[in-house]
Amino acid sequence: MGTAHQASQDDGVTVRLACQGDELAWEALVRAYQTPVFRLAYLLLGGADEAEDVTQETFIRAYRSLERFDTTRPLRPWLFKIASNLASNQRRSIGRQLAALRRLFQPERSSIEFPVEVQGEQRQQAEELWRAVRALRVADQQIIYLRYFLGLSVEEIADAMGLIQGTVKSRLHRALERLRNVIDKDFPALRDWNDGRTNV
Amino acid sequence: MDERTFEILETRLRDTARHFPYPATPDFSRVEAIRRVARRQGRPRVQWRITWVAASILIILLLAVMATPTVRAAVLEFIQIGVVRIFQTAPTPLPESPVTATPLPAVTGTPSPTYTPRPIPVDVISILDLQGRTTLEEARVKVGFPIRLPSYPSDLGSPDQVILQDHDGSVLILVWTLPDSQDKARLSLHTIEPGSWTIEKVKPRFLQETTVNGRTAIWAVGPYIVRLLNGDLDIRRLIEGNVLIWTEHGITYRLETDLPLAEAVRIAESLK
């Protein structure tokens, strides 16, 4: 919390400089947040090209709205909110439908390949868990990505999703319950792992 | 789902996330579109904001200033009130008046765009020389507007002379003469119908904005030259009195008197 607060204060200064036309400050902000934003877009959309488009648009829109940004708040959830909205639009767009058609002729994206250093059963289970997450509805996926893949606090998720923290906690809980149900139903290999009988 | 299962699931998700094979993140800070938005909207946005604020203030000031006839006159070179146009500087060189006790200063200025300079002598005429004498009753029949008379001062009575001129628009001149002189006006009231006449006053000595019944009015202190324009017809007269000019319901009123402004306004507001 203290670190996040410090980051928020630092961002506030940089944001104000960027608002005043300091291009270097703006570049610094982009560099600081481009990876988490790109990763969120990638998780939500499943394609590097689409994620790149959304990330680029996220920063363009963010800059245009930068003056309205509350510099007492952390920047990352605000960027995630923009990116999530853009990704949601992208999913509904014709381009996205065409991209989905293209993927029919390409390898299944949910069978993503984990790095070689993740060995054997651990690797297989990670891939299975990933597939299980992908089987959830988008809203559940989003909250899981924000919390466990991108490491946001409940407070930051509340900021990013425009919810109160209590709602975030309950949604998170329900998302995990549904994930557990998916695992029980479709990923039997993970059941034992999930029971703690296999360690990653 | 019990707490332990919940915790295990969270741990597994975090482990999976830690090894997740994300594509390499492009360096968006070098992407031209993102850099351009900062260049185009960064400094310019601040400058634009300043520019907008400055422009807004300027427009507000300009509107406020231009709403003041005297200032508008300085900017536009003339004030237009009803059919009367008052020039602060002479639109054309005008000859010295042969009769005025207070000679007008030599005047030069930018020629009016609608006027072709011609050497025309100033025509000073007495009330008796005015054409179009009639009676109040006849005038009421002829003019297309209600004839209003001052009810102040209470002893003013009916006008001593009624003159009706028509040049594509009626000009009714009501004159109250001095008791001891039938050719000298104590008070005169022009009621001018919208028409082709334009009355120009050139360089009154003093000009003041006032109101008559809440409407903007101009108080011009002579002597000054009045120029009546109707197409090629150009008549000039030297006026020595003070004039209050205002408009009501499209009619231009011009009250000429040697009384002070407050009295003139009181007379003007007494029209019935």
Side-chain angles (χ1 to χ4, degrees):
Chain A
M1 182 67 188
T3 307
H5 180 66
Q6 183 59 46
S8 171
Q9 285 185 324
D10 293 346
D11 284 347
V13 174
T14 316
V15 165
R16 282 191 288 277
L17 286 170
C19 282
Q20 291 162 13
D22 188 328
E23 289 176 34
L24 292 177
W26 173 237
E27 282 184 28
L29 287 172
V30 173
R31 275 197 303 275
Y33 292 103
Q34 60 187 6
T35 295
V37 170
F38 176 73
R39 288 184 171 185
L40 174 64
Y42 179 75
L43 289 167
L44 292 171
L45 294 168
D49 292 342
E50 293 157 291
E52 195 170 329
D53 291 345
V54 162
T55 305
Q56 182 171 312
E57 188 61 22
T58 296
F59 283 112
I60 289 170
R61 292 198 182 192
Y63 190 86
R64 287 175 179 157
S65 305
L66 209 54
E67 284 185 328
R68 295 194 295 275
F69 172 67
D70 177 0
T71 52
T72 63
R73 311 290 302 168
L75 188 63
R76 187 169 64 158
W78 184 65
L79 292 171
F80 280 176
K81 188 174 189 175
I82 297 171
S84 298
N85 289 337
L86 287 170
S88 178
N89 293 341
Q90 178 91 333
R91 273 195 298 271
R92 287 194 292 266
S93 70
I94 293 172
R96 172 64 184 170
Q97 305 304 324
L98 292 173
L101 280 174
R102 273 201 309 275
R103 278 196 297 277
L104 285 176
F105 302 97
Q106 292 174 352
E108 172 58 45
R109 201 192 87 64
S110 61
S111 63
I112 201 159
E113 289 190 4
F114 279 74
V116 290
E117 60 267 24
V118 183
Q119 298 290 323
E121 190 180 15
Q122 179 186 3
R123 177 184 178 129
Q124 184 187 347
Q125 288 175 344
E127 289 173 358
E128 288 277 289
L129 182 58
W130 168 245
R131 288 177 59 205
V133 170
R134 296 297 292 181
L136 294 171
R137 61 181 193 172
V138 172
D140 289 340
Q141 286 183 46
Q142 185 180 358
I143 203 163
I144 286 173
Y145 296 149
L146 291 173
R147 181 74 173 123
Y148 303 110
F149 283 70
L150 298 166
L152 268 68
S153 67
V154 170
E155 183 185 3
E156 287 176 313
I157 295 172
D159 263 2
M161 297 183 76
L163 302 170
I164 60 170
Q165 292 184 39
T167 306
V168 170
K169 286 176 185 170
S170 61
R171 283 196 185 183
L172 201 51
H173 200 269
R174 283 201 298 274
L176 290 181
E177 281 184 336
R178 281 191 275 268
L179 178 59
R180 172 60 191 250
N181 292 338
V182 168
I183 289 169
D184 284 348
K185 182 169 174 263
D186 299 323
F187 298 89
L190 289 179
R191 280 202 297 265
D192 296 341
W193 173 66
N194 215 21
D195 286 340
R197 278 176 283 186
T198 307
N199 291 321
V200 174
Chain B
M1 187 165 63
D2 60 49
E3 196 61 31
R4 177 170 161 68
T5 307
F6 190 89
E7 286 174 5
I8 290 171
L9 199 49
E10 284 190 309
T11 304
R12 303 307 182 220
L13 282 167
R14 288 196 177 97
D15 286 341
T16 301
R18 194 164 53 246
H19 300 296
F20 190 81
Y22 293 102
T25 304
D27 186 359
F28 290 96
S29 70
R30 312 312 300 170
V31 171
E32 187 54 27
I34 294 172
R35 293 164 64 88
R36 199 167 52 232
V37 75
R39 274 202 300 274
R40 283 185 179 173
Q41 298 198 10
R43 281 195 192 91
R45 179 158 54 175
V46 174
Q47 288 169 356
W48 270 110
R49 196 193 310 145
I50 294 167
T51 305
W52 272 109
V53 169
S56 301
I57 290 169
L58 195 63
I59 288 167
I60 290 165
L61 283 175
L62 196 60
L63 288 174
V65 157
M66 294 299 280
T68 308
T70 47
V71 178
R72 190 167 62 236
V75 177
L76 299 178
E77 294 186 335
F78 64 83
I79 301 166
Q80 182 90 32
I81 182 159
V83 298
V84 179
R85 185 172 290 181
I86 302 168
F87 284 88
Q88 294 284 60
T89 55
T92 58
L94 292 168
E96 291 279 336
S97 165
V99 295
T100 179
T102 312
L104 286 171
V107 285
T108 55
T110 307
S112 165
T114 58
Y115 177 70
T116 305
R118 285 177 294 160
I120 298 173
V122 173
D123 181 17
V124 182
I125 58 175
S126 86
I127 299 164
L128 298 174
D129 295 328
L130 288 172
Q131 301 297 308
R133 289 176 183 280
T134 183
T135 63
L136 209 52
E137 289 70 29
E138 280 182 4
R140 283 200 169 101
V141 174
K142 290 179 182 173
V143 300
F145 51 83
I147 296 175
R148 301 167 70 197
L149 301 174
S151 56
Y152 177 85
S154 57
D155 63 345
L156 188 64
S158 296
D160 299 302
Q161 295 185 36
V162 178
I163 296 135
L164 182 62
Q165 299 179 340
D166 191 347
H167 296 280
D168 299 327
S170 299
V171 179
L172 178 70
I173 307 168
L174 307 177
V175 181
W176 288 262
T177 56
L178 292 169
D180 57 347
S181 176
Q182 286 299 302
D183 65 344
K184 288 187 179 175
R186 170 189 176 194
L187 187 79
S188 77
L189 176 68
H190 285 55
T191 305
I192 309 162
E193 196 177 36
S196 59
W197 279 100
T198 298
I199 299 175
E200 294 185 348
K201 295 179 182 298
V202 181
K203 203 166 184 179
R205 185 186 293 164
F206 179 70
L207 205 60
Q208 182 178 341
E209 185 185 357
T210 184
T211 59
V212 170
N213 291 325
R215 296 167 186 271
T216 299
I218 293 295
W219 176 245
V221 177
Y224 55 89
I225 290 172
V226 167
R227 188 164 135 205
L228 306 176
L229 299 174
N230 185 3
D232 288 336
L233 187 60
D234 186 334
I235 301 170
R236 301 184 188 193
R237 294 176 190 151
L238 181 72
I239 303 293
E240 292 193 67
N242 306 327
V243 175
L244 182 67
I245 305 158
W246 75 102
T247 63
E248 284 184 58
H249 309 295
I251 303 291
T252 306
Y253 294 93
R254 178 177 172 278
L255 182 69
E256 198 171 320
T257 177
D258 55 1
L259 292 170
L261 169 61
E263 282 293 287
V265 169
R266 195 169 172 190
I267 294 169
E269 292 184 336
S270 76
L271 292 191
K272 288 181 179 170

